[in-house]
């Protein structure tokens, strides 16, 4: 009898939405918009890889009667701000179609409290970039998106990392934490490889193979954009722009967020203050030397994710039109939750898109 009571308690704790009654909210309702925007902020705060999402359209909003738990189906667009960038979402530019935009769907279970705070009970996002064929139809000369696992993209990231370490004023070496995006850029008969990646400060000295066992309490994180193009006699030209990011992500609901205009950089390892943006437009001549230090695994280098946090959720399929990119999933063994399949408000759902498809 005791185990039956325990089972009943668990079912009530982990799946209250199964036995509860939902009421559909209009997709153009202010309450629906507010909870959808909050859900996107929480999703961005929970992720450590890839780029921030922005709310594009509300497809379905359900609220449990007499409760503050919501079920959402929303469409999101990828921005150009990495999730580690403390910049406010409202200041992040949406990735354009000509840059191979990425969009997709999220299902969310979110709960709010009377004091205005909120937390995710579970979410799943299936986001992928437009197909190359769709981009070529509108823009034949636009850069072609490459997989982060492509050898040319890995090479571009490694030689750019080496350049950063050689020219930085830091005593510590920075290693690649994530290759976020790679492109093939067409330049007449020649082409170059552009790469966007995250560097993380290590305990290793720049010019030594010796690494200390001490942990850095607040390692610096750097977001870099690099363009690597071939030169004469096998030389490579590297154009690079790197930005130091604040490793403490801004608070989701505004509390603790970095004030506008405040310097978010961290002091360098040698005690000096690193500039907020380190730009290097110079051309590197000579043979490029790079090593094989690649801290991330192949599956970890994906630019887009199907996220299953904090509950192990069933994967949602996207439309057949989209070509899925490689994805990285972080799965935590939790109680399996099945999202409720409920009809949306027929009069107002889905809502209108906030962003143009070709914008």
């Amino acid at each position: 009898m005791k185990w039956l009571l325990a089972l009943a308690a668990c079912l009530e704790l982990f799946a209250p939405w199964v036995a509860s009654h939902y009421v559909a909210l209009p997709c153009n309702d202010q309450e629906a918009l507010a909870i959808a925007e909050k859900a996107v902020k929480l999703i961005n705060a929970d992720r450590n890889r890839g780029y921030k999402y922005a709310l594009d359209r509300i497809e379905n909003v359900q609220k449990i009667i007499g409760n503050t738990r919501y079920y959402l189906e929303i469409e999101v667009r990828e921005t150009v701000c990495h999730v580690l960038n403390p910049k406010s979402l409202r200041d992040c530019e949406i990735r354009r179609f000509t840059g191979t935009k990425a969009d997709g769907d999220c299902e969310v279970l979110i709960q709010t409290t009377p004091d205005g705070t909120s937390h995710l009970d579970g979410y799943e996002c299936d986001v992928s970039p437009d197909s190359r064929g769709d981009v070529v139809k509108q823009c034949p000369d636009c850069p072609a998106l490459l997989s982060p696992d492509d050898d040319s993209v890995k090479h571009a990231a490694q030689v750019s990392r080496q350049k950063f370490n050689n020219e930085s004023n830091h005593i510590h070496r920075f290693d690649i934490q994530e290759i976020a995006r790679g492109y093939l850029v067409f330049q007449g008969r020649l082409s170059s490889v552009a790469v966007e990646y995250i560097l993380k400060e290590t305990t290793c000295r720049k010019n030594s193979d010796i690494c200390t066992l001490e942990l850095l309490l607040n390692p610096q994180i750097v977001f870099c954009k690099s363009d690597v193009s071939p030169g004469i006699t096998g030389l490579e030209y590297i154009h690079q722009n790197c930005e130091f990011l604040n490793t403490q992500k801004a608070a989701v609901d505004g509390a603790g967020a970095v004030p506008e205009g405040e310097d978010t950089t961290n002091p360098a390892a040698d005690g000096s203050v690193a500039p907020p943006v380190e730009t290097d437009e110079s051309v590197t001549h000579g043979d490029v030397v790079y090593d094989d230090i690649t801290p991330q695994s192949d599956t970890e280098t994906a630019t887009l994710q199907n996220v299953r946090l904090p509950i192990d959720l069933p994967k949602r399929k996207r439309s057949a039109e989209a070509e899925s990119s490689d994805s990285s999933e972080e799965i935590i063994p939790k109680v399996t939750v099945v999202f409720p399949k409920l009809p949306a408000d027929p009069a107002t759902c889905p809502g209108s898109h906030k962003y143009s498809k070709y914008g």
Side-chain angles (χ1 to χ4, degrees), residues 215-272:
L215 295 178
L216 295 177
L217 296 180
N218 193 25
Q220 292 203 65
I221 304 295
V222 184
F223 177 73
C224 290
K225 293 183 178 181
S226 298
D227 187 281
V228 180
S229 57
I232 58 174
T233 65
L235 305 182
E236 290 180 308
Y237 299 88
I238 303 174
H239 296 262
Q240 184 160 278
N241 185 300
C242 292
E243 176 185 6
F244 286 83
L245 304 180
N246 183 1
T247 56
Q248 299 299 320
K249 297 174 70 174
V252 174
D253 292 321
V258 179
E260 295 292 336
E262 182 173 316
D263 184 13
T264 61
T265 58
N266 299 311
D270 57 2
S272 62

Side-chain angles (χ1 to χ4, degrees), residues 95-290:
R95 193 179 300 281
R96 297 181 177 275
F97 178 83
T98 52
T100 310
K101 70 175 177 64
D103 55 15
D105 309 303
C106 292
E107 286 186 283
V108 189
L109 288 169
I110 179 174
Q111 183 162 337
T112 63
T113 59
D115 63 2
T117 60
S118 54
H119 68 268
L120 296 173
D121 287 331
Y123 71 94
E124 180 187 47
C125 291
D126 188 2
V127 178
S128 61
D130 289 331
S131 70
R132 176 58 185 162
D134 287 344
V135 177
V136 168
K137 289 178 184 177
Q138 302 293 328
C139 184
D141 297 328
C142 282
L145 186 66
L146 299 174
S147 167
D149 291 331
D150 187 277
D151 288 341
S152 62
V153 175
K154 290 182 177 181
H155 171 79
Q158 288 289 3
V159 297
S160 299
R161 177 193 71 100
Q162 188 67 45
K163 176 181 173 66
F164 175 89
N165 283 326
N166 288 342
E167 299 181 357
S168 76
N169 60 352
H170 291 267
I171 62 173
H172 288 156
R173 189 182 73 217
F174 284 71
D175 283 349
I176 296 174
Q177 178 172 284
E178 174 195 0
I179 299 179
R181 271 206 165 207
Y183 300 91
L184 183 64
V185 183
F186 305 102
Q187 301 174 341
R189 294 182 179 181
L190 299 177
S191 60
S192 63
V193 174
V195 62
E196 299 176 9
Y197 59 97
I198 292 289
L199 292 175
K200 184 176 182 179
E201 184 183 8
T202 71
T203 62
C204 305
R205 295 272 179 167
K206 268 201 327 181
N207 301 319
S208 173
D209 293 331
I210 299 176
C211 303
T212 63
L213 296 179
E214 65 182 9
L215 295 178
L216 295 177
L217 296 180
N218 193 25
Q220 292 203 65
I221 304 295
V222 184
F223 177 73
C224 290
K225 293 183 178 181
S226 298
D227 187 281
V228 180
S229 57
I232 58 174
T233 65
L235 305 182
E236 290 180 308
Y237 299 88
I238 303 174
H239 296 262
Q240 184 160 278
N241 185 300
C242 292
E243 176 185 6
F244 286 83
L245 304 180
N246 183 1
T247 56
Q248 299 299 320
K249 297 174 70 174
V252 174
D253 292 321
V258 179
E260 295 292 336
E262 182 173 316
D263 184 13
T264 61
T265 58
N266 299 311
D270 57 2
S272 62
V273 177
V277 178
E278 180 176 305
T279 304
D280 180 11
E281 297 296 342
S282 64
V283 176
T284 299
H285 297 275
D287 294 326
V288 179
V289 179
Y290 66 99

